[in-house]
Amino acid sequence: MRVTFTVNGRRQEADDVWEGESLLYVLRERMGLPGSKNACEQGECGSCTVRLDGVPVCSCLVAAGQVEGREVVTVEGLADFARQRAEGGCADGTCGTGLDEAKGWQARPAAPQSGDSAPHEGLSPIQQAFIDAGAVQCGFCTPGLLVAADELLERNDSPSDADIREALSGNLCRCTGYEKILDAVRLAAARGENRTAGQGA
Amino acid sequence: MADKETRVATAPGRTPTNLTQGSQTKAGIGESTLRPDGTLKVTGEFAYSSDMWHEDMLWGYTLRSTTAHAEIRSIDTSEALATSGVYAVLTYDDLPTDVKNYGLEIQDTPVLAHGKVRHHGEPVALVAADHPETARRAAAKIKIDYAELPVVTDEASATAEGAPLVHENRTDHHIGHVPHPNIVHRQPIIRGDAAEAAKKADVIVSGEYVFGMQDQAFLGPESGLAVPGEDGGVDLYVATQWLHSDLRQIAPVLGLPEEKVRMTLSGVGGAFGGREDLSMQIHACLLALRTGKPVKIVYNRFESFFGHVHRHPAKLWYEHGATKDGKLTHLKCRIVLDGGAYASASPAVVGNASSLAVGPYVVDDVDIEAIALYSNNPPCGAMRGFGAVQACFAYEAQMDKVAKKLGMDPVEFRQLNAMEQGTIMPTGQPVDSPAPVAELLRRVKAMPLPPEQQWLTAGAGADVRALPGGLSNTTHGEGVVRGVGYAVGIKNVGFSEGFDDYSTARVRMEVVGGVPVATVHTAMAEVGQGGVTVHAQIARTELGVQQVTIQPADTRVGSAGSTSASRQTYVTGGAVKNACEHVREQVLDIGRRKFGTYHPAWATAELLLEGGKVVTDGGEVLAHLADVLEDEAVDLELEWRHRPTEPFDLHTGQGNGHVQYSFAAHRAVVEVDTELGLVKVIELACAQDVGKALNPLSVVGQIQGGTTQGLGVAVMEEIIVDPKTAKVRNPSFTDYLIPTILDTPTIPVDVLELADEHAPYGLRGIGEAPTLSSTPAVLAAIRNATGLELNKTPVRPEHLTGT
């Protein structure tokens, strides 16, 4: 079957999709968007978390056919999504990465990094905070955690530790012991408040 | 070593990449430099092994045994092979050479089962197809006629008269030293006279402990891509812990010389020991060579539980004696590790469990024995802590018991018996670097305790999420009691018992665009621990450059050894440091040749490379590196070794077997709902000596991660194997639980840096020690809260409620 839906703001089509294929498989193997990870494929670990019409879901549990006509945001589109949200929202469905850009995806060297905590071009606040706080080790859980944490901060810009733990309880991490993930979310929240304060709000 | 011209396979669409990092202002050793792969990892661009992709690739799938022990009477693959979209179906009969087994030390593991299967989930057949679901469905059509055999599952059944032998006709080098063919290896440690010393004891305390089977549960599944080359060779992109160890095992099975099996590390989603053994490596290569097409294999989580070895479950019998003034008199202990169907790392795990069985304490008279069994349970091998974890669980429980019987404070009792620099280990080896055991306990005890039980004062306003049971709203504090427990552990660093534990680094220095640049190439597996970060820090420190490129790890450079045993920063970090030092000397030689006549300091002063310049130790600038090197490059590949170790005597266990020791202490604070048996760990504080923190941010991250894995085994993690059938009952993240962010408490960390003069920069391997003491600290806290004995991991509700 053919499935047509919006990924990171752009309409995309996938052909020859089997009825049993998950959204995760279609994203990773048919659309060249492997950022959403395949760690358990049964909705237990959260590594494949994406936004489906704004709601965080495990894309491994969503049948590809279910997303017909709907909007998906993956980690690849997170920075654009966050930037456009900050600039006034993505309601017209124009946020995100283009199809050609997505298909042309390839691993490339990291941009040179500065040692201070100044935000890098092109990263969302939560992505930058994960790097700065040391919340990335093997990094396999990171995309799912970023999508979940970004959604948390969207609806609660100053979450308590209990709020953060509750929001991220569906995302397993085996490396970090979660402490630095908590630090990262706190950092992103703090920077968000600082920015507002700096604008005189 | 293969040169570039032999790499005739076409590269996949996604490949591992150089990691370049420059311009960090805090970037040398001792700084919390950020990861060079961090940006790629947060944007989803980092290419993990399961992300590998090739234009016309096929998908491989492994058919696994549904029974634990059976003779294979026949395999019929015809229907599977006839399935549309299937390109190959392989069984044992299709293996290309006479080498049909592999293994880390003992080559007893079949690539594909032949004649019989020895454990549930053993690989039997392989399928390659154009879609993963096609491969799975075709595999389901393979008909296997199994004739069930009786299983051995524990020491009693494995060594009973007439017990089935897991491996008939063993010929490995341990067979002459084991009391039964179903015992992989046995290591006694005898020092002094434990029986005589026991007579001096005022109290004697014994206990029997059971440690459950833990899984590494790394998140990135076993996966990779094999691309056949036009020269008959194969390129393998894979997640592993040791490329060259894989290569040594893969090439003979494929019948290829090692230079025709070209391995590149792809992104690794955690390892923790579970990637020391091969999983899909040979299978993918076989399918690629058979079909002539690139083949990708990605395990799902169910298969991952069968695709790697686990932590050895153990039974431990301990007896300690002590005088009434609190000095330990003797230790008798016996440790039985279940190695499962294949040897994997069992012999080395036995060596660790026995040599570290006494813990970080002074006990002159010991009688220790550790064995590992062959059984029809899942194979067990390396996991973080490696034999020391099981022993620590038991000896720390014993320390609390002895202290209680003496009426002493458990921390003071430990401190009274704590080893220190100069202590002689039960193996006869002197501890010749700092061993701050008493100090770590003092530090962890001195950390402020978390606030008292909030619902005692907050009443109805208490946050129910903080209670055992959490949002399930099972209690409002009634029946909830708090406990505090302590533990400390000792772990060896690096490979022991005489193993040639070397590493190799290639370092290149050149001028690019007027800027001096260093390139570091090693075969070190970056599995998340942060080695790539540290290597760049070392190169910056030693070569005085800002920009460092870390090349992808592959087999075009010499072996780096394994990313395990807390050894990689020590050994490969040491190799990078060593190579940098030699590169520096050559750079200085070039400088002397070009500029030596202009300034006497070139000949007389101690010269350093700093900030892109050659400077004297007094700070005088002699030249810019760009002017020294111009268009010359210095490029060296060197091996580096730490000081040698020696094997333990097979009868007495004596020998200088270990390179270095690592120490951590924990304090756990728990709250237990005694009515429902629910445990909430409130805080798990850690103090650890790291020798020198090369990257403090990464050090703390490793300690917190290791602590959490220890917490997991204390209260939830266990692979459950049916004792009658030896079948695994819970191979999924639904049924095998690892700690979530709700299960994991705050983990304050106190890092001590007492340099080890034998190690590069004085560093001490850190990855494993925090996993040791975390588990017994949590158990001690639960015992403290409930008064129960609790001698088994994980603690389950029924153990607390007596149901």
Side-chain angles (χ1 to χ4, degrees), chain A residues 11-184:
Chain A
R11 257 173 85 83
Q12 303 221 17
E13 285 179 354
D15 283 321
D16 302 323
V17 175
W18 283 24
E19 285 75 3
E21 273 177 25
S22 64
L23 172 59
L24 176 64
Y25 183 87
V26 169
L27 289 170
R28 288 176 54 79
E29 306 298 340
R30 295 191 182 277
M31 294 189 167
L33 293 169
S36 309
K37 295 301 169 204
N38 53 323
C40 78
E41 298 180 62
Q42 60 174 189
E44 293 288 350
C45 74
S47 304
C48 66
T49 304
V50 301
R51 305 277 296 267
L52 178 58
D53 289 345
V55 179
V57 295
C58 290
S59 60
C60 69
L61 292 186
V62 177
Q66 285 178 284
V67 301
E68 177 68 35
R70 300 173 73 180
E71 288 190 29
V72 172
V73 176
T74 73
V75 70
E76 288 95 340
L78 195 62
D80 281 346
F81 185 80
R83 184 162 48 245
Q84 291 170 41
R85 176 176 58 208
E87 289 166 1
C90 301
D92 59 354
T94 54
C95 297
T97 313
L99 176 59
D100 292 338
E101 264 180 276
K103 282 185 172 166
W105 181 91
Q106 58 176 330
R108 53 176 195 266
Q113 299 183 347
S114 62
D116 58 32
S117 58
H120 298 304
E121 278 302 306
L123 293 183
S124 69
I126 190 68
Q127 287 170 319
Q128 187 61 50
F130 263 61
I131 295 175
D132 294 341
V136 179
Q137 290 190 20
C138 92
F140 209 81
C141 67
T142 303
L145 276 163
L146 288 169
V147 172
D150 182 66
E151 192 270 345
L152 164 68
L153 293 172
E154 182 180 293
R155 60 185 158 79
N156 179 357
D157 61 12
S158 53
S160 66
D161 284 1
D163 294 335
I164 299 170
R165 289 181 188 277
E166 196 177 337
L168 302 184
S169 61
N171 292 77
L172 296 177
C173 168
R174 190 56 158 170
C175 293
T176 65
Y178 300 106
E179 194 85 337
K180 296 199 177 300
I181 292 169
L182 279 159
D183 287 344

Side-chain angles (χ1 to χ4, degrees), chain B residues 25-49:
Chain B
T25 51
K26 293 178 182 175
I29 63 156
E31 304 284 355
S32 288
T33 312
L34 301 178
R35 299 184 68 99
D37 55 5
T39 304
L40 291 173
K41 285 178 172 176
V42 299
T43 53
E45 292 173 281
F46 187 77
Y48 292 90
S49 56

